[in-house]
Amino acid sequence: MCSIIAYAGQRVAAPMLVQGLKRMEYRGYDSVGLATISNKHILVKKGVGKVEEVNKSLGLEKMNGSVGIGHTRWATHGGVTDTNAHPHQNCKNDIAIVHNGIIDNYSELKKSLIARGHKFRSETDSEVIAHLLGDFLHKKYDIKKAMINITKKLKGTYAFVAVFDDGTVAGARFDEPLIVGISKDGYFVSSDVLGFIEHTDKAIFLDNDEFVILNDNGHAIFNFDGSKVKKQVTQIAWELADAEKGRFAHYTLKEINEQKHTIINALFSKDSKLDEFCDVVAGAKRVVLTGSGSSYNAALIAKQLFSKYAGIHCEAVISSEFQYASGLLDKDSVLIAISQSGETADLLQAVKIAKASEARILSIVNTPTSSLARTSDLFLGINCGPEIGVAATKSFTAQLALIYRITDILSGQKLCPNKSDVERAIGKVLNDTKNIANIAEKIKYIGNIYILGRGLHFPVAIEGALKLKELVYVHAEGLPAGELKHGPLALMDENTTVIMLNPDDETYSDTLSNVHEIKARGASVIGVSNVNSNKYDNWIKIPKAKDILYPILEVIPLQLLAYHTALKRESNPDYPRHLAKSVTVK
Ligand code: BG6
């Protein structure tokens, strides 16, 4: 996905647009561009690279004008080139647009525009928006009418913002987030509150099928049919400081270290909606959990905990697979959707499908103003603050902690973790960086790595493997240790490295036998456990704790291992190649 930002007001736009794009760069970071208006002329500068680099080479911040738009790209249609970078313009260059999403019918629109003499400069789907607007305005210069007409034509998902040489800014949203920021000296339009959090905490969240027009008369919001909409102004909870790296070299390391607070907050959450949430789950005939990436791995742990401690048996379905799992839900069912961003397209589609079968929608989300939170019947916040690092870290453990809290209530307080024990244990694992950095040095050039665990440790093994994939670009696989003899053992030899999740709980002795089987084939084993073994080539010690806490205590060292190994391979842990923080396109 991409990030969009716009400003119209009294101040010089470019420096604020560049700063806003830097804050949203986790959304997509292969190319950047700005368009600003001064003296009824639109100036466009764009290029391949990260905001910092392109700003330095093209002087984006120095562009004149108090009206402008900006964009960071995560390529879907057309390669990563200067020409395909946004903004895109119409033939007369009196309009410039930035777009996030996918225009499904762009090629037929493009064909008919070319047939009417339009000249296209890029390979993107987005450029059709600029030419279509130009086409409508050519007939009659009425921007509101043009927005009504274009939203009738476009098929797919989109949030786009256009700037016109008369200084007007217009933006529309369909299945992609778009937010208006209201500051004392002007208006922002952005994909994310982080785009303007430095300047205001007052925001209007556009809903689907709405567009906004900013001009000398201020702001106005309309439905796609042109009817005016009165919208509520929301006070944003997040502070600017939350979105800063502070003393840390990377957001990922900062967010890993924030877990000493974020886990406790979620584990002892006092959310007033908790009891109602649990009542709905307990009252449902069928419970289905869904999520993508790390959020799906949290769903796998919820499935085990609800069943083991509360006797509630549920399904966990990957969001992108949900559309193929028909007949899963009905009016007596509940879908629990788990998401950090609350904007992941696959997950929002799963929610749409569940709503169509009249199921109740509960969600566990980090962004309380997200599309998921606003479309759910009831949502619980994990409240771990903005997560900028592309690989989920603190959001995953906060999801687990809130799931423990829910399980505790559903099971009649069977879990009840002790606060100071948890704080002490997390502090210990966060301090083991030296040992982990040494292990990272040893594994930095391996091609394959397997993470094994049983029971609750299996989903953690999958999550650990995901961190290594995301940050180290290595083939990493999370496997149920019990499956070893049914195939994966064939992969074990002196070139293989295995991470064994093996704290001394009910899985300990069976998993230790697996360690012996693996060592017998010559592979090297990194043991993650509160108990050492002479079979481990390397040991990552975690503190003795209540069994229920081991999934949280063992995933943190795996996050740190992925982080330190990425550094050893000189890749940027915050912006892994080809990925984005939340994927708002299918
Ligand atoms: C990916 C992120 O794009 O989306 C992962 O890189 C994340 O870290 C996944 O787990 C799901 O995102 P969300 O916001 O729905 O939890």
Side-chain angles (χ1 to χ4, degrees):
M1 87 192 150
C2 308
S3 67
I4 284 176
I5 187 140
Y7 173 79
Q10 277 114 50
R11 295 171 62 186
V12 179
M16 295 187 289
L17 298 176
V18 169
Q19 193 52 31
L21 290 176
K22 270 192 201 145
R23 289 205 197 294
M24 296 192 288
E25 199 156 23
Y26 64 85
R27 298 174 58 92
Y29 33 86
D30 60 42
S31 52
V32 184
L34 250 64
T36 59
I37 312 247
S38 71
N39 309 328
K40 287 192 72 49
H41 171 69
I42 299 181
L43 172 64
V44 173
K45 288 191 176 181
K46 56 185 182 173
V48 169
K50 300 195 59 233
V51 177
E52 198 66 50
E53 300 147 8
V54 177
N55 182 31
K56 223 184 256 124
S57 58
L58 298 180
L60 298 179
E61 267 173 340
K62 301 198 185 62
M63 294 167 73
N64 293 331
S66 60
V67 175
I69 54 177
H71 184 270
T72 64
R73 185 172 184 236
W74 187 66
T76 57
H77 291 67
V80 176
T81 65
D82 292 354
T83 319
N84 289 338
H86 296 215
H88 293 290
Q89 293 196 276
N90 62 327
C91 299
K92 284 172 60 185
N93 293 334
D94 55 6
I95 302 169
I97 67 100
V98 288
H99 165 235
N100 172 32
I102 292 179
I103 307 297
D104 293 336
N105 62 341
Y106 86 98
S107 55
E108 70 205 61
L109 292 171
K110 187 171 180 175
K111 252 197 230 95
S112 69
L113 285 158
I114 290 173
R116 290 204 298 283
H118 289 261
K119 300 243 174 322
F120 278 71
R121 289 169 260 201
S122 78
E123 304 155 299
T124 66
D125 54 328
S126 312
E127 190 182 344
V128 288
I129 298 171
H131 292 277
L132 268 177
L133 284 171
D135 220 39
F136 292 124
L137 290 178
H138 184 62
K139 296 188 191 87
K140 181 165 181 294
Y141 198 84
D142 178 335
I143 290 175
K144 182 182 167 196
K145 269 244 168 35
M147 291 298 283
I148 295 168
N149 288 334
I150 195 171
T151 51
K152 283 204 183 79
K153 287 256 182 201
L154 298 177
K155 300 276 174 287
T157 68
Y158 55 84
F160 73 80
V161 179
V163 67
F164 303 84
D165 64 0
D166 69 356
T168 305
V169 172
R173 131 157 236 203
F174 185 74
D175 272 358
E176 299 289 352
L178 202 61
I179 308 157
V180 178
I182 304 168
S183 75
K184 59 185 181 332
D185 54 48
Y187 294 94
F188 293 86
V189 183
S190 176
S191 305
D192 189 315
V193 291
L194 291 179
F196 54 70
I197 196 167
E198 194 163 348
H199 308 288
T200 178
D201 58 1
K202 291 186 187 45
I204 295 177
F205 290 81
L206 293 191
D207 284 308
N208 265 355
D209 306 328
E210 289 179 352
F211 65 85
V212 59
I213 294 182
L214 305 176
N215 53 27
D216 298 344
N217 311 328
H219 78 283
I221 296 171
F222 305 91
N223 282 318
F224 279 6
D225 62 9
S227 56
K228 198 141 190 195
V229 189
K230 196 143 180 31
K231 299 284 287 183
Q232 191 205 342
V233 176
T234 305
Q235 185 95 21
I236 307 292
W238 286 345
E239 308 288 322
L240 177 59
D242 299 335
E244 301 281 350
K245 263 187 275 193
R247 63 185 172 80
F248 295 94
H250 297 99
Y251 284 109
T252 305
L253 184 63
K254 173 198 174 213
E255 288 152 9
I256 290 174
N257 280 281
E258 282 178 333
Q259 293 177 108
K260 52 181 167 287
H261 310 300
T262 52
I263 293 170
I264 298 294
N265 293 349
L267 200 52
F268 299 95
S269 155
K270 297 249 177 318
D271 190 316
S272 58
K273 294 172 285 174
L274 256 172
D275 290 336
E276 187 187 349
F277 187 103
C278 294
D279 291 348
V280 175
V281 174
K285 276 226 181 60
R286 168 172 261 189
V287 177
V288 175
L289 297 141
T290 192
S292 303
S294 298
S295 296
Y296 172 66
N297 298 335
L300 287 174
I301 291 184
K303 174 182 170 160
Q304 289 194 38
L305 291 175
F306 289 4
S307 167
K308 184 171 180 181
Y309 292 96
I312 296 175
H313 305 298
C314 32
E315 299 265 339
V317 181
I318 293 178
S319 297
S320 54
E321 288 293 312
F322 206 92
Q323 58 194 303
Y324 314 115
S326 55
L328 204 53
L329 294 164
D330 60 21
K331 61 177 178 33
D332 303 321
S333 313
V334 159
L335 176 76
I336 302 177
I338 305 178
S339 174
Q340 186 283 126
S341 62
E343 299 294 352
T344 299
D346 291 324
L347 178 112
L348 293 176
Q349 187 201 33
V351 168
K352 247 190 203 161
I353 294 168
K355 270 186 180 267
S357 31
E358 298 174 63
R360 295 210 56 195
I361 310 297
L362 301 181
S363 60
I364 294 175
V365 68
N366 188 32
T367 316
T369 50
S370 62
S371 307
L372 175 63
R374 289 185 290 126
T375 192
S376 301
D377 298 307
L378 193 63
F379 78 88
L380 295 177
I382 59 173
N383 308 326
C384 66
E387 187 174 64
I388 311 277
V390 168
T393 52
K394 63 176 181 176
S395 66
F396 177 71
T397 52
Q399 286 166 346
L400 291 196
L402 186 55
I403 288 164
Y404 286 177
R405 185 90 181 82
I406 294 165
T407 310
D408 201 29
I409 295 169
L410 289 171
S411 67
Q413 272 63 42
K414 278 211 190 103
L415 303 187
C416 43
N418 171 290
K419 197 169 188 173
S420 51
D421 288 354
V422 180
E423 278 169 336
R424 222 183 354 269
I426 295 167
K428 283 197 180 138
V429 286
L430 281 172
N431 290 336
D432 187 22
T433 41
K434 199 157 169 305
N435 173 40
I436 289 173
N438 291 342
I439 296 172
E441 181 59 36
K442 290 188 184 141
I443 68 166
K444 69 180 180 184
Y445 292 126
I446 58 170
N448 301 289
I449 189 164
Y450 303 92
I451 308 184
L452 275 61
R454 288 169 177 266
L456 281 175
H457 309 298
F458 170 37
V460 177
I462 301 175
E463 176 62 11
L466 180 60
K467 294 307 109 181
L468 288 164
K469 287 176 185 137
E470 287 173 313
L471 300 185
V472 185
Y473 318 148
V474 67
H475 167 239
E477 211 173 324
L479 294 166
E483 277 306 288
L484 197 63
K485 294 190 279 300
H486 308 296
L489 197 57
L491 300 166
M492 303 298 149
D493 61 25
E494 59 287 351
N495 305 317
T496 310
T497 299
V498 174
I499 298 177
M500 218 59 175
L501 305 181
N502 194 21
D504 71 344
D505 63 10
E506 60 180 349
T507 66
Y508 183 75
S509 54
D510 289 345
T511 306
L512 197 59
S513 332
N514 293 131
V515 172
H516 287 257
E517 288 153 8
I518 292 167
K519 286 306 297 173
R521 274 76 186 176
S524 77
V525 173
I526 300 166
V528 178
S529 176
N530 55 311
V531 187
N532 196 356
S533 159
N534 58 11
K535 287 296 179 193
Y536 297 154
D537 300 276
N538 290 96
W539 178 34
I540 295 177
K541 180 178 181 185
I542 58 174
K544 170 103 188 95
K546 265 186 141 184
D547 293 2
I548 194 71
L549 283 176
Y550 283 131
I552 285 186
L553 297 179
E554 66 197 4
V555 78
I556 297 174
L558 299 178
Q559 297 166 350
L560 284 166
L561 185 63
Y563 173 79
H564 285 285
T565 313
L567 293 187
K568 305 271 180 205
R569 291 166 69 124
E570 288 161 18
S571 70
N572 181 336
D574 284 349
Y575 303 110
R577 67 185 186 192
H578 312 330
L579 296 180
K581 181 63 192 166
S582 101
V583 179
T584 62
V585 289
K586 276 187 57 194

